[in-house]
Coordinates of all heavy atoms in Angstrom, one line a residue:
M295 N 0.8 -1.2 0.0 CA 0.0 0.0 0.0 C 0.9 1.2 0.0 O 1.9 1.3 0.7 CB -0.9 0.0 1.2 CG -2.0 1.0 1.2 SD -3.0 1.0 2.7 CE -2.3 2.4 3.6
G296 N 0.5 2.3 -0.8 CA 1.3 3.5 -0.9 C 1.1 4.4 0.3 O 0.1 4.3 1.0
T297 N 2.0 5.2 0.5 CA 1.8 6.3 1.5 C 1.5 7.6 0.8 O 1.5 7.6 -0.5 CB 3.1 6.5 2.3 OG1 4.2 6.8 1.4 CG2 3.5 5.3 3.1
F298 N 1.1 8.6 1.5 CA 0.7 9.8 0.9 C 1.7 11.0 1.3 O 2.1 11.1 2.5 CB -0.7 10.2 1.3 CG -1.7 9.3 0.6 CD1 -2.0 8.0 1.0 CD2 -2.4 9.8 -0.6 CE1 -2.9 7.2 0.3 CE2 -3.3 9.0 -1.2 CZ -3.6 7.8 -0.8
V299 N 1.9 11.9 0.3 CA 2.8 13.0 0.7 C 2.0 14.3 0.4 O 1.2 14.4 -0.6 CB 4.1 13.1 -0.1 CG1 5.0 11.9 0.3 CG2 3.8 13.1 -1.6
K300 N 2.2 15.3 1.2 CA 1.5 16.6 1.1 C 2.2 17.4 0.0 O 3.5 17.5 0.0 CB 1.5 17.4 2.4 CG 0.9 18.8 2.2 CD 1.1 19.6 3.4 CE 0.7 21.0 3.1 NZ 0.9 22.0 4.2
V301 N 1.5 17.9 -1.0 CA 2.1 18.7 -2.1 C 1.7 20.1 -2.0 O 2.4 21.0 -2.6 CB 1.8 18.1 -3.5 CG1 2.5 16.8 -3.6 CG2 0.4 18.0 -3.8
D302 N 0.5 20.4 -1.4 CA 0.0 21.8 -1.4 C -1.2 21.9 -0.6 O -1.7 20.9 0.0 CB -0.4 22.1 -2.9 CG -0.2 23.6 -3.3 OD1 -0.2 24.4 -2.4 OD2 -0.1 23.8 -4.5
R303 N -1.8 23.1 -0.5 CA -3.1 23.3 0.0 C -4.1 23.0 -1.1 O -3.9 23.5 -2.2 CB -3.3 24.7 0.5 CG -2.4 25.1 1.7 CD -2.7 24.4 3.0 NE -4.0 24.9 3.5 CZ -4.6 24.3 4.6 NH1 -4.2 23.2 5.1 NH2 -5.8 24.9 5.0
A304 N -5.2 22.3 -0.8 CA -6.1 22.0 -1.9 C -6.7 23.2 -2.5 O -7.1 23.2 -3.7 CB -7.3 21.1 -1.3
S305 N -6.8 24.3 -1.7 CA -7.4 25.5 -2.2 C -6.6 26.2 -3.3 O -7.1 27.1 -4.0 CB -7.7 26.5 -1.1 OG -6.4 26.8 -0.4
E306 N -5.4 25.7 -3.5 CA -4.5 26.3 -4.5 C -5.0 25.9 -5.9 O -4.5 26.5 -6.9 CB -3.0 25.9 -4.3 CG -2.4 26.5 -3.1 CD -2.3 28.0 -3.3 OE1 -1.8 28.5 -4.3 OE2 -2.7 28.7 -2.3
I307 N -5.8 24.8 -6.0 CA -6.3 24.4 -7.4 C -7.8 24.5 -7.4 O -8.5 23.7 -6.7 CB -5.9 23.0 -7.7 CG1 -4.4 22.7 -7.4 CG2 -6.2 22.6 -9.1 CD1 -4.0 21.3 -7.6
G308 N -8.3 25.6 -8.0 CA -9.8 25.8 -8.1 C -10.4 24.8 -9.1 O -9.7 24.2 -9.9
P309 N -11.7 24.8 -9.1 CA -12.4 23.9 -10.1 C -12.0 24.3 -11.5 O -12.0 25.4 -11.9 CB -13.9 24.2 -9.8 CG -14.0 24.7 -8.4 CD -12.6 25.4 -8.2
G310 N -11.7 23.2 -12.3 CA -11.3 23.4 -13.7 C -9.9 23.8 -13.8 O -9.5 24.1 -15.0
E311 N -9.1 23.8 -12.7 CA -7.7 24.2 -12.8 C -6.8 22.9 -12.6 O -7.3 21.9 -12.2 CB -7.4 25.2 -11.8 CG -8.1 26.6 -12.0 CD -7.7 27.6 -10.9 OE1 -7.1 27.2 -9.9 OE2 -8.1 28.7 -11.1
K312 N -5.5 23.1 -12.9 CA -4.6 22.0 -12.8 C -3.3 22.6 -12.3 O -3.0 23.8 -12.5 CB -4.5 21.2 -14.0 CG -4.0 22.0 -15.2 CD -4.0 21.2 -16.5 CE -4.1 22.0 -17.8 NZ -3.2 23.0 -18.1
K313 N -2.5 21.7 -11.8 CA -1.1 22.1 -11.3 C -0.2 21.0 -11.4 O -0.6 19.8 -11.2 CB -1.2 22.7 -9.9 CG -0.5 23.9 -9.6 CD -0.8 24.6 -8.3 CE 0.4 25.4 -7.8 NZ 0.1 26.0 -6.5
I314 N 1.1 21.2 -11.6 CA 2.1 20.2 -11.7 C 2.9 20.1 -10.5 O 3.3 21.2 -9.9 CB 3.0 20.5 -13.0 CG1 2.1 20.4 -14.2 CG2 4.1 19.5 -13.0 CD1 2.9 20.9 -15.5
Y315 N 3.2 18.9 -10.0 CA 4.1 18.7 -8.8 C 5.0 17.6 -9.1 O 4.9 16.9 -10.0 CB 3.2 18.3 -7.6 CG 2.1 19.3 -7.2 CD1 0.8 19.1 -7.6 CD2 2.4 20.4 -6.5 CE1 -0.2 20.0 -7.3 CE2 1.5 21.3 -6.1 CZ 0.2 21.1 -6.6 OH -0.8 22.1 -6.2
E316 N 6.1 17.6 -8.3 CA 7.0 16.5 -8.4 C 6.9 15.7 -7.1 O 6.9 16.1 -6.0 CB 8.5 17.0 -8.4 CG 9.4 15.9 -8.7 CD 10.9 16.4 -8.9 OE1 11.0 17.6 -9.4 OE2 11.8 15.7 -8.6
V317 N 6.6 14.4 -7.3 CA 6.5 13.4 -6.1 C 7.5 12.3 -6.4 O 7.3 11.6 -7.4 CB 5.0 12.9 -6.1 CG1 4.9 11.9 -4.9 CG2 4.0 14.0 -5.8
D318 N 8.4 12.1 -5.5 CA 9.4 11.1 -5.6 C 10.1 11.1 -7.0 O 10.3 10.1 -7.6 CB 8.8 9.7 -5.4 CG 8.4 9.5 -4.0 OD1 8.9 10.2 -3.1 OD2 7.5 8.6 -3.7
G319 N 10.4 12.3 -7.5 CA 11.1 12.4 -8.8 C 10.2 12.2 -10.0 O 10.7 12.2 -11.1
I320 N 8.9 12.1 -9.8 CA 8.0 11.9 -10.9 C 7.1 13.2 -11.0 O 6.6 13.6 -10.0 CB 7.1 10.7 -10.7 CG1 8.0 9.4 -10.7 CG2 6.0 10.6 -11.8 CD1 7.3 8.2 -10.4
L321 N 7.0 13.7 -12.2 CA 6.1 14.9 -12.4 C 4.7 14.4 -12.6 O 4.5 13.5 -13.4 CB 6.5 15.6 -13.7 CG 7.9 16.5 -13.5 CD1 8.2 17.1 -14.9 CD2 7.8 17.5 -12.4
V322 N 3.8 15.0 -11.8 CA 2.4 14.6 -11.9 C 1.5 15.8 -12.1 O 2.0 16.9 -11.8 CB 2.0 13.8 -10.6 CG1 2.7 12.5 -10.5 CG2 2.1 14.7 -9.4
V323 N 0.4 15.7 -12.6 CA -0.6 16.7 -12.8 C -1.8 16.5 -11.9 O -2.3 15.4 -11.9 CB -1.1 16.8 -14.3 CG1 -1.9 18.1 -14.5 CG2 0.0 16.6 -15.3
V324 N -2.2 17.4 -11.1 CA -3.4 17.3 -10.3 C -4.4 18.3 -10.9 O -4.1 19.4 -11.2 CB -3.1 17.7 -8.8 CG1 -4.4 17.6 -8.0 CG2 -2.0 16.8 -8.2
V325 N -5.6 17.7 -11.1 CA -6.7 18.5 -11.7 C -7.9 18.5 -10.7 O -8.2 17.5 -10.1 CB -7.1 17.8 -13.0 CG1 -8.3 18.5 -13.6 CG2 -6.0 17.7 -14.0
N326 N -8.5 19.6 -10.6 CA -9.8 19.7 -9.8 C -10.9 19.7 -10.8 O -11.1 20.6 -11.6 CB -9.7 21.1 -9.1 CG -11.0 21.3 -8.3 OD1 -12.0 20.8 -8.6 ND2 -10.9 22.2 -7.3
L327 N -11.7 18.6 -10.8 CA -12.9 18.5 -11.6 C -14.1 18.7 -10.7 O -14.5 17.8 -10.0 CB -12.9 17.1 -12.2 CG -12.0 16.7 -13.4 CD1 -12.4 15.3 -13.9 CD2 -12.1 17.8 -14.5
D328 N -14.7 19.8 -10.7 CA -15.9 20.1 -9.9 C -15.7 19.7 -8.5 O -16.6 19.1 -7.9 CB -17.1 19.4 -10.5 CG -17.4 19.9 -11.9 OD1 -17.2 21.1 -12.2 OD2 -17.8 19.1 -12.8
G329 N -14.5 20.0 -7.9 CA -14.3 19.7 -6.5 C -13.7 18.4 -6.2 O -13.3 18.1 -5.1
E330 N -13.6 17.5 -7.2 CA -12.9 16.2 -7.0 C -11.5 16.3 -7.6 O -11.4 16.9 -8.7 CB -13.7 15.1 -7.7 CG -15.0 14.8 -7.1 CD -14.9 14.1 -5.8 OE1 -13.9 13.3 -5.6 OE2 -15.7 14.3 -4.9
Y331 N -10.5 15.9 -6.9 CA -9.2 15.9 -7.4 C -8.7 14.6 -8.0 O -9.0 13.6 -7.4 CB -8.2 16.3 -6.2 CG -8.5 17.7 -5.7 CD1 -9.4 17.9 -4.7 CD2 -7.8 18.8 -6.2 CE1 -9.7 19.2 -4.2 CE2 -8.1 20.1 -5.7 CZ -9.0 20.2 -4.7 OH -9.3 21.5 -4.2
Y332 N -8.0 14.7 -9.1 CA -7.5 13.6 -9.8 C -6.0 13.8 -10.1 O -5.6 15.0 -10.4 CB -8.2 13.3 -11.1 CG -9.7 12.9 -10.8 CD1 -10.6 13.9 -10.8 CD2 -10.0 11.6 -10.4 CE1 -12.0 13.6 -10.5 CE2 -11.4 11.3 -10.1 CZ -12.3 12.3 -10.2 OH -13.6 12.0 -9.8
C333 N -5.2 12.8 -10.2 CA -3.8 12.9 -10.4 C -3.3 11.9 -11.4 O -3.6 10.7 -11.3 CB -3.0 12.8 -9.1 SG -1.2 13.0 -9.2
I334 N -2.6 12.4 -12.4 CA -2.0 11.5 -13.4 C -0.5 11.9 -13.6 O -0.1 13.0 -13.2 CB -2.7 11.6 -14.8 CG1 -2.6 13.0 -15.4 CG2 -4.1 11.1 -14.7 CD1 -3.1 13.1 -16.8
E335 N 0.2 11.0 -14.2 CA 1.6 11.3 -14.5 C 1.6 12.4 -15.6 O 0.7 12.4 -16.5 CB 2.4 10.1 -14.9 CG 3.9 10.3 -15.0 CD 4.7 9.0 -15.2 OE1 4.1 7.9 -15.1 OE2 5.9 9.1 -15.4
D336 N 2.6 13.3 -15.6 CA 2.7 14.4 -16.5 C 3.3 14.0 -17.9 O 4.0 14.8 -18.5 CB 3.5 15.5 -15.8 CG 3.5 16.8 -16.7 OD1 2.6 17.0 -17.5 OD2 4.6 17.5 -16.7
V337 N 3.2 12.7 -18.2 CA 3.9 12.3 -19.4 C 3.0 11.5 -20.3 O 2.5 10.5 -19.9 CB 5.2 11.4 -19.0 CG1 5.9 10.9 -20.2 CG2 6.1 12.1 -18.1
C338 N 2.8 11.9 -21.5 CA 1.9 11.2 -22.5 C 2.5 9.9 -22.8 O 3.7 9.8 -23.1 CB 1.8 12.1 -23.7 SG 0.7 11.4 -24.9
T339 N 1.7 8.9 -22.9 CA 2.2 7.5 -23.2 C 2.4 7.4 -24.7 O 3.0 6.3 -25.1 CB 1.2 6.4 -22.8 OG1 -0.1 6.7 -23.4 CG2 1.0 6.5 -21.3
H340 N 2.1 8.4 -25.5 CA 2.4 8.3 -27.0 C 3.9 8.6 -27.3 O 4.6 7.7 -27.7 CB 1.5 9.2 -27.8 CG 1.9 9.2 -29.2 ND1 2.2 10.4 -29.9 CD2 2.0 8.2 -30.1 CE1 2.6 10.1 -31.1 NE2 2.4 8.8 -31.3
D341 N 4.3 9.8 -26.8 CA 5.7 10.2 -27.2 C 6.2 11.1 -26.1 O 7.0 12.0 -26.5 CB 5.7 10.8 -28.6 CG 7.1 10.9 -29.1 OD1 8.0 10.1 -28.6 OD2 7.4 11.8 -29.9
G342 N 5.7 11.0 -24.9 CA 6.3 11.7 -23.8 C 5.9 13.2 -23.7 O 6.5 14.0 -23.1
G343 N 4.8 13.6 -24.4 CA 4.3 15.0 -24.4 C 4.0 15.4 -22.9 O 3.6 14.6 -22.1
P344 N 4.1 16.7 -22.7 CA 3.8 17.2 -21.3 C 2.3 17.4 -21.1 O 1.8 18.5 -21.4 CB 4.5 18.6 -21.4 CG 4.5 19.0 -22.8 CD 4.5 17.8 -23.6
L345 N 1.7 16.4 -20.5 CA 0.2 16.5 -20.4 C -0.3 17.6 -19.6 O -1.4 18.2 -19.8 CB -0.3 15.2 -19.8 CG -0.3 13.9 -20.7 CD1 -0.8 12.7 -19.9 CD2 -1.1 14.2 -22.0
G346 N 0.5 18.1 -18.6 CA 0.1 19.2 -17.7 C -0.1 20.5 -18.5 O -0.7 21.4 -18.0
E347 N 0.5 20.6 -19.7 CA 0.3 21.8 -20.5 C -0.9 21.7 -21.4 O -1.2 22.6 -22.2 CB 1.6 22.0 -21.3 CG 2.8 22.4 -20.5 CD 4.1 22.5 -21.3 OE1 4.0 22.6 -22.5 OE2 5.2 22.4 -20.7
G348 N -1.6 20.6 -21.3 CA -2.7 20.3 -22.2 C -4.0 20.9 -21.7 O -4.1 21.3 -20.5
D349 N -5.0 21.1 -22.6 CA -6.3 21.6 -22.2 C -7.1 20.5 -21.5 O -7.0 19.3 -21.7 CB -7.1 22.1 -23.4 CG -6.4 23.3 -24.0 OD1 -5.8 24.1 -23.3 OD2 -6.6 23.5 -25.2
L350 N -8.0 21.0 -20.6 CA -9.0 20.1 -20.0 C -10.3 20.2 -20.7 O -10.7 21.3 -21.1 CB -9.2 20.5 -18.5 CG -8.0 20.6 -17.6 CD1 -8.4 21.1 -16.3 CD2 -7.4 19.2 -17.5
D351 N -10.9 19.1 -21.0 CA -12.2 19.1 -21.7 C -13.1 17.9 -21.3 O -12.7 16.8 -21.5 CB -11.9 19.0 -23.2 CG -13.2 19.1 -24.0 OD1 -14.1 19.7 -23.6 OD2 -13.2 18.4 -25.1
D352 N -14.1 18.2 -20.5 CA -15.1 17.2 -20.2 C -14.5 16.0 -19.5 O -14.8 14.9 -19.9 CB -15.8 16.8 -21.6 CG -17.2 16.1 -21.3 OD1 -17.7 16.3 -20.2 OD2 -17.6 15.4 -22.2
G353 N -13.7 16.2 -18.5 CA -13.1 15.1 -17.7 C -11.9 14.5 -18.4 O -11.4 13.5 -17.9
E354 N -11.5 15.1 -19.5 CA -10.3 14.6 -20.2 C -9.2 15.6 -20.3 O -9.5 16.8 -20.2 CB -10.7 14.1 -21.6 CG -11.7 13.0 -21.5 CD -12.3 12.6 -22.9 OE1 -11.9 13.2 -23.9 OE2 -13.2 11.7 -22.9
I355 N -8.0 15.2 -20.5 CA -6.9 16.1 -20.7 C -6.3 15.8 -22.1 O -6.3 14.6 -22.5 CB -5.8 16.0 -19.6 CG1 -4.9 17.2 -19.7 CG2 -5.0 14.7 -19.7 CD1 -4.0 17.4 -18.4
V356 N -6.0 16.9 -22.9 CA -5.6 16.7 -24.3 C -4.1 16.9 -24.4 O -3.7 18.0 -24.0 CB -6.4 17.8 -25.1 CG1 -6.0 17.5 -26.6 CG2 -7.9 17.7 -24.9
C357 N -3.4 16.0 -24.9 CA -2.0 16.1 -25.0 C -1.7 17.3 -26.0 O -2.2 17.3 -27.1 CB -1.3 14.8 -25.5 SG 0.5 15.0 -25.7
P358 N -0.8 18.2 -25.6 CA -0.6 19.4 -26.5 C 0.3 19.0 -27.7 O 0.4 19.8 -28.6 CB 0.2 20.4 -25.6 CG 0.8 19.5 -24.5 CD -0.1 18.3 -24.3
R359 N 0.9 17.8 -27.6 CA 1.8 17.5 -28.7 C 1.1 16.9 -30.0 O 1.3 17.5 -31.1 CB 2.9 16.5 -28.2 CG 4.1 16.4 -29.1 CD 5.3 15.7 -28.5 NE 6.0 16.5 -27.5 CZ 7.0 16.1 -26.8 NH1 7.4 14.8 -26.9 NH2 7.5 16.8 -25.9
H360 N 0.3 15.9 -29.8 CA -0.4 15.4 -31.0 C -1.9 15.1 -30.8 O -2.6 14.5 -31.6 CB 0.2 14.0 -31.5 CG 1.7 14.0 -31.6 ND1 2.5 13.3 -30.7 CD2 2.5 14.6 -32.5 CE1 3.8 13.6 -31.1 NE2 3.8 14.3 -32.1
G361 N -2.4 15.6 -29.7 CA -3.9 15.6 -29.5 C -4.5 14.4 -28.9 O -5.7 14.2 -28.9
A362 N -3.7 13.4 -28.4 CA -4.3 12.3 -27.7 C -5.1 12.8 -26.5 O -4.8 13.8 -25.9 CB -3.2 11.3 -27.2
R363 N -6.1 12.0 -26.1 CA -6.9 12.4 -24.9 C -6.9 11.3 -23.9 O -6.9 10.1 -24.2 CB -8.3 12.7 -25.3 CG -8.4 13.9 -26.3 CD -9.8 14.0 -26.8 NE -10.7 14.5 -25.8 CZ -11.3 15.7 -25.9 NH1 -11.0 16.5 -26.8 NH2 -12.1 16.1 -24.9
F364 N -6.8 11.7 -22.6 CA -6.8 10.7 -21.5 C -8.0 11.0 -20.5 O -8.2 12.2 -20.2 CB -5.5 10.8 -20.8 CG -4.4 10.3 -21.6 CD1 -3.7 11.3 -22.4 CD2 -3.9 9.0 -21.6 CE1 -2.6 10.9 -23.1 CE2 -2.9 8.6 -22.4 CZ -2.2 9.5 -23.2
D365 N -8.7 10.0 -20.0 CA -9.7 10.2 -19.0 C -9.0 10.4 -17.7 O -8.2 9.6 -17.2 CB -10.5 8.9 -18.9 CG -11.7 9.1 -18.0 OD1 -11.5 9.6 -16.9 OD2 -12.8 8.6 -18.4
L366 N -9.3 11.6 -17.1 CA -8.6 12.0 -15.9 C -8.9 11.0 -14.7 O -8.1 10.9 -13.8 CB -8.9 13.4 -15.5 CG -8.2 14.4 -16.4 CD1 -8.9 15.7 -16.4 CD2 -6.7 14.6 -16.0
R367 N -10.1 10.4 -14.7 CA -10.5 9.6 -13.6 C -9.9 8.2 -13.6 O -9.5 7.7 -12.6 CB -12.1 9.4 -13.6 CG -12.8 10.7 -13.4 CD -14.3 10.5 -13.6 NE -15.1 11.7 -13.4 CZ -15.3 12.7 -14.2 NH1 -14.8 12.5 -15.5 NH2 -15.9 13.8 -13.9
T368 N -9.6 7.7 -14.8 CA -9.1 6.4 -15.0 C -7.7 6.3 -15.6 O -7.0 5.3 -15.5 CB -10.0 5.5 -15.8 OG1 -10.0 6.1 -17.2 CG2 -11.4 5.5 -15.3
G369 N -7.2 7.3 -16.2 CA -6.0 7.3 -17.0 C -6.1 6.7 -18.3 O -5.1 6.7 -19.1
A370 N -7.3 6.2 -18.7 CA -7.4 5.5 -20.0 C -7.2 6.5 -21.1 O -7.6 7.6 -21.1 CB -8.8 4.9 -20.1
A371 N -6.5 5.9 -22.2 CA -6.3 6.7 -23.4 C -7.6 6.5 -24.2 O -8.1 5.5 -24.5 CB -5.2 6.1 -24.2
V372 N -8.3 7.7 -24.5 CA -9.6 7.6 -25.2 C -9.5 8.1 -26.6 O -10.5 8.1 -27.3 CB -10.6 8.4 -24.3 CG1 -11.0 7.7 -23.1 CG2 -10.3 9.8 -24.1
K373 N -8.3 8.6 -27.0 CA -8.2 9.1 -28.4 C -6.7 8.8 -28.8 O -5.8 9.2 -28.1 CB -8.6 10.5 -28.5 CG -8.5 11.1 -29.9 CD -9.1 12.5 -30.0 CE -9.0 13.0 -31.5 NZ -7.7 13.5 -31.8
L374 N -6.6 8.3 -30.1 CA -5.3 8.1 -30.6 C -4.6 9.5 -30.9 O -5.3 10.5 -30.9 CB -5.4 7.4 -32.0 CG -5.9 5.9 -31.9 CD1 -6.2 5.4 -33.2 CD2 -4.9 5.1 -31.1
P375 N -3.3 9.5 -31.0 CA -2.4 8.4 -31.2 C -2.0 7.6 -29.9 O -1.2 6.6 -30.1 CB -1.2 9.0 -31.9 CG -1.2 10.4 -31.3 CD -2.6 10.8 -31.2
A376 N -2.4 8.0 -28.8 CA -2.0 7.2 -27.6 C -3.0 6.0 -27.4 O -4.2 6.2 -27.7 CB -2.0 8.1 -26.3
F377 N -2.5 4.9 -27.0 CA -3.4 3.8 -26.7 C -3.2 3.2 -25.3 O -4.0 2.5 -24.8 CB -3.5 2.8 -27.8 CG -2.1 2.2 -28.2 CD1 -1.6 1.1 -27.5 CD2 -1.4 2.9 -29.2 CE1 -0.4 0.7 -27.9 CE2 -0.1 2.4 -29.5 CZ 0.4 1.3 -28.9
E378 N -2.0 3.5 -24.8 CA -1.6 3.0 -23.4 C -2.2 3.9 -22.4 O -2.1 5.2 -22.6 CB -0.2 2.8 -23.2 CG 0.6 1.9 -24.2 CD 0.5 0.5 -23.6 OE1 0.1 0.3 -22.5 OE2 0.9 -0.4 -24.4
P379 N -2.7 3.5 -21.3 CA -3.2 4.4 -20.2 C -2.0 5.1 -19.6 O -0.9 4.6 -19.5 CB -3.9 3.5 -19.2 CG -3.3 2.1 -19.4 CD -2.9 2.0 -20.9
V380 N -2.3 6.3 -19.0 CA -1.3 7.0 -18.3 C -1.5 6.6 -16.8 O -2.6 6.3 -16.4 CB -1.5 8.5 -18.5 CG1 -2.8 9.1 -17.9 CG2 -0.3 9.3 -18.0
A381 N -0.3 6.6 -16.1 CA -0.4 6.2 -14.6 C -1.3 7.2 -13.9 O -1.2 8.4 -14.1 CB 1.0 6.2 -14.0
T382 N -2.1 6.7 -12.9 CA -2.9 7.5 -12.1 C -2.4 7.4 -10.6 O -1.9 6.3 -10.3 CB -4.4 7.2 -12.1 OG1 -4.5 5.8 -11.7 CG2 -4.9 7.3 -13.5
Y383 N -2.7 8.4 -9.8 CA -2.3 8.4 -8.4 C -3.4 8.8 -7.6 O -4.2 9.7 -8.0 CB -1.1 9.3 -8.2 CG 0.1 9.0 -9.0 CD1 0.3 9.5 -10.3 CD2 1.1 8.1 -8.5 CE1 1.4 9.1 -11.1 CE2 2.2 7.7 -9.3 CZ 2.3 8.3 -10.5 OH 3.4 7.9 -11.3
E384 N -3.6 8.2 -6.4 CA -4.7 8.6 -5.6 C -4.4 9.9 -4.9 O -3.3 10.3 -4.6 CB -4.8 7.5 -4.5 CG -6.0 6.6 -4.7 CD -6.2 5.7 -3.5 OE1 -6.8 6.2 -2.5 OE2 -5.7 4.5 -3.5
V385 N -5.5 10.7 -4.7 CA -5.4 12.0 -4.1 C -6.3 12.0 -2.9 O -7.5 11.5 -3.0 CB -5.9 13.1 -5.1 CG1 -5.7 14.5 -4.5 CG2 -5.1 13.0 -6.4
K386 N -5.8 12.6 -1.8 CA -6.7 12.8 -0.6 C -6.6 14.2 -0.2 O -5.6 14.9 -0.3 CB -6.1 12.0 0.5 CG -6.5 10.5 0.5 CD -6.4 9.9 2.0 CE -5.2 9.1 2.1 NZ -5.1 8.3 3.3
V387 N -7.7 14.7 0.3 CA -7.7 16.0 1.0 C -7.9 15.8 2.4 O -8.9 15.2 2.9 CB -8.8 16.9 0.4 CG1 -8.8 18.3 1.1 CG2 -8.5 17.2 -1.1
Q388 N -7.0 16.3 3.2 CA -7.0 16.1 4.7 C -6.7 17.4 5.4 O -5.6 18.0 5.2 CB -6.0 15.1 5.1 CG -6.3 14.1 6.2 CD -5.4 12.9 6.3 OE1 -4.2 13.1 6.3 NE2 -6.0 11.7 6.2
D389 N -7.7 18.0 6.1 CA -7.5 19.3 6.8 C -7.1 20.3 5.8 O -6.3 21.2 6.1 CB -6.5 19.2 7.9 CG -6.9 18.1 9.0 OD1 -8.1 18.0 9.2 OD2 -6.0 17.5 9.6
G390 N -7.7 20.2 4.6 CA -7.3 21.3 3.6 C -6.0 21.0 2.8 O -5.7 21.8 1.9
D391 N -5.3 20.0 3.2 CA -4.0 19.7 2.5 C -4.3 18.7 1.4 O -5.1 17.8 1.5 CB -3.0 19.1 3.5 CG -2.4 20.1 4.5 OD1 -2.5 21.3 4.2 OD2 -2.0 19.6 5.6
L392 N -3.5 18.9 0.3 CA -3.6 18.0 -0.8 C -2.5 16.9 -0.7 O -1.3 17.3 -0.6 CB -3.5 18.8 -2.1 CG -3.8 18.2 -3.4 CD1 -5.3 17.9 -3.5 CD2 -3.4 19.2 -4.5
L393 N -3.0 15.7 -0.6 CA -2.0 14.6 -0.5 C -2.0 13.7 -1.7 O -3.1 13.3 -2.2 CB -2.3 13.8 0.8 CG -2.6 14.5 2.1 CD1 -3.0 13.5 3.1 CD2 -1.3 15.2 2.5
I394 N -0.8 13.3 -2.2 CA -0.7 12.5 -3.3 C -0.1 11.1 -2.9 O 0.9 11.1 -2.1 CB 0.2 13.1 -4.4 CG1 -0.3 14.5 -4.7 CG2 0.3 12.3 -5.7 CD1 -1.6 14.6 -5.4
E395 N -0.6 10.1 -3.5 CA -0.1 8.7 -3.3 C 1.4 8.7 -3.7 O 1.7 9.2 -4.8 CB -0.9 7.8 -4.0 CG -0.5 6.3 -4.0 CD -1.4 5.5 -4.9 OE1 -2.0 6.0 -5.9 OE2 -1.4 4.3 -4.7
S396 N 2.2 8.1 -2.9 CA 3.6 7.9 -3.4 C 4.0 6.5 -3.0 O 3.4 5.8 -2.2 CB 4.5 8.9 -2.6 OG 5.3 8.4 -1.7
Y397 N 5.1 6.0 -3.6 CA 5.5 4.6 -3.3 C 6.8 4.5 -2.6 O 7.6 5.4 -2.7 CB 5.6 3.9 -4.7 CG 4.3 3.7 -5.3 CD1 3.9 4.6 -6.3 CD2 3.4 2.7 -4.9 CE1 2.6 4.6 -6.9 CE2 2.1 2.7 -5.5 CZ 1.7 3.6 -6.5 OH 0.5 3.5 -7.1
Ligands
LIG498 S1 3.0 12.8 -27.3 FE1 1.0 13.0 -26.6 S2 -0.2 12.6 -28.4 FE2 1.9 12.3 -29.1

C-alpha cells in the first residue's frame, strides 16, 4: 500500500484548474474537476508529451503534442495516437491539505 505526501493546500487548485508537482522524482498533474481531485503522470504515453500543459475538456486532458486524450478519472487513453493508459495516483484532501499517493 502506498503512503501519501503533502504537495500543497487543496485551495490552490480551483475547479477546472490544474497544477504540476514532483512526487518522488516523478512529475504529476493534479486536476480539480468540480471539486474532485485527480492525479496523473505528466507524461503522455504516446511520445512523452507534457500532459500538464494540455487543455482540460469534459473530464479529459488533451496532449498538447499530437492531441491524444486521456480520461482523468481512470488514466485510460480515449483518443489516438495514444493507446496505453497514463499512470494515475490517488489523491486525498485532509484538513485542507492535498496529499498524493507515493511509493
Ligand atoms: S506525445 Fe501525446 S499525443 Fe503524441
Side-chain angles (χ1 to χ4, degrees):
M295 193 182 102
T297 55
F298 284 79
V299 294
K300 176 186 167 183
V301 293
D302 212 337
R303 296 289 290 169
S305 56
E306 290 296 311
I307 311 177
E311 294 179 351
K312 57 183 159 54
K313 223 168 153 180
I314 296 170
Y315 301 99
E316 186 176 329
V317 177
D318 290 342
I320 294 173
L321 288 178
V322 298
V323 191
V324 178
V325 177
N326 177 337
L327 286 184
D328 298 328
E330 293 288 326
Y331 295 87
Y332 297 93
C333 181
I334 61 170
E335 193 170 353
D336 182 33
V337 179
C338 181
T339 58
H340 172 238
D341 193 26
L345 288 180
E347 293 175 17
D349 291 333
L350 302 176
D351 182 33
D352 201 19
E354 297 170 1
I355 195 163
V356 184
C357 180
R359 200 167 282 175
H360 312 107
R363 297 172 74 107
F364 296 87
D365 186 317
L366 287 159
R367 296 173 176 86
T368 64
V372 293
K373 181 170 179 281
L374 292 172
F377 54 89
E378 298 276 351
V380 67
T382 59
Y383 301 87
E384 259 189 78
V385 183
K386 278 203 259 193
V387 177
Q388 218 164 53
D389 300 327
D391 288 336
L392 192 63
L393 309 176
I394 307 293
E395 179 186 18
S396 110
Y397 294 96

